[in-house]
Amino acid sequence: MFIWTAKLNKKKAAGVLAAAVVLCAAAAAVTLAGRQAQASAMVSPKGIRSEEDRVAYLQEWGWQVEPQAALVEELELPEEFGETYSQYLALQTGQGFDLEKHAGKRVRRYTYEILNYPTGETGVVAHLLVRKNTVIGGEVIGGSFLHGLAIPEG
């Protein structure tokens, strides 16, 4: 029989626990980003010129949407993305989009009503940010959530 003992004070235990939590969170973030990037690699964001192209682009992500945009807005991206944009930029980067290289530029945001959200929830929309016939960003928004363009796994 082998007995091993170690002396561990509360500060060291808290440090080990904090490190474990950080590693778990990082692993989860990498997994999610990998799924989003993998999905975005399958769908080309270029050559999006018409309503039909935008609807087809969303269909490639697995969404069924109304055939016409519910709203089209002309937006100007900020010259500099402050701290308030950090989570949004991370969401877009996880999908393979780099909004920072379009800082200060004018874009169009197309809003489409999603008809097949997995939970059956209504009022869910997809936004596509388009500049020069290329999708440069996008997200899905519902009453209590915001996520990338990939359909969430149940």
Side-chain angles (χ1 to χ4, degrees):
M1 184 161 148
F2 180 71
I3 298 175
W4 183 69
T5 61
K7 189 174 183 182
L8 188 64
N9 65 29
K10 289 182 182 180
K11 283 185 179 179
K12 287 182 183 177
V16 168
L17 181 61
V21 168
V22 167
L23 286 174
C24 288
V30 166
T31 300
L32 178 61
R35 267 192 229 137
Q36 294 284 346
Q38 182 182 27
S40 68
M42 298 183 306
V43 181
S44 175
K46 297 183 179 194
I48 308 298
R49 293 177 174 82
S50 66
E51 190 86 62
E52 292 80 19
D53 293 340
R54 290 185 295 275
V55 169
Y57 181 80
L58 289 168
Q59 286 173 341
E60 288 185 47
W61 284 94
W63 298 115
Q64 293 173 10
V65 296
E66 288 291 340
Q68 291 188 325
L71 184 62
V72 179
E73 300 169 280
E74 184 99 6
L75 306 173
E76 186 171 323
L77 296 178
E79 287 286 338
E80 291 185 25
F81 293 95
E83 184 64 31
T84 56
Y85 282 95
S86 63
Q87 288 181 329
Y88 186 72
L89 290 174
L91 171 76
Q92 298 304 328
T93 301
Q95 302 182 102
F97 299 123
D98 182 6
L99 285 182
E100 290 184 286
K101 77 178 190 179
H102 301 284
K105 305 294 184 193
R106 296 192 69 75
V107 301
R108 282 211 170 117
R109 180 171 68 184
Y110 297 89
T111 303
Y112 290 90
E113 184 180 345
I114 292 178
L115 305 174
N116 66 328
Y117 199 76
T119 62
E121 188 170 339
T122 59
V124 179
V125 298
H127 288 157
L128 292 179
L129 296 175
V130 179
R131 182 168 188 273
K132 294 186 176 181
N133 300 324
T134 300
V135 176
I136 63 165
E139 66 271 352
V140 173
I141 300 176
S144 61
F145 61 84
L146 177 136
H147 60 74
L149 293 171
I151 293 179
E153 294 181 15

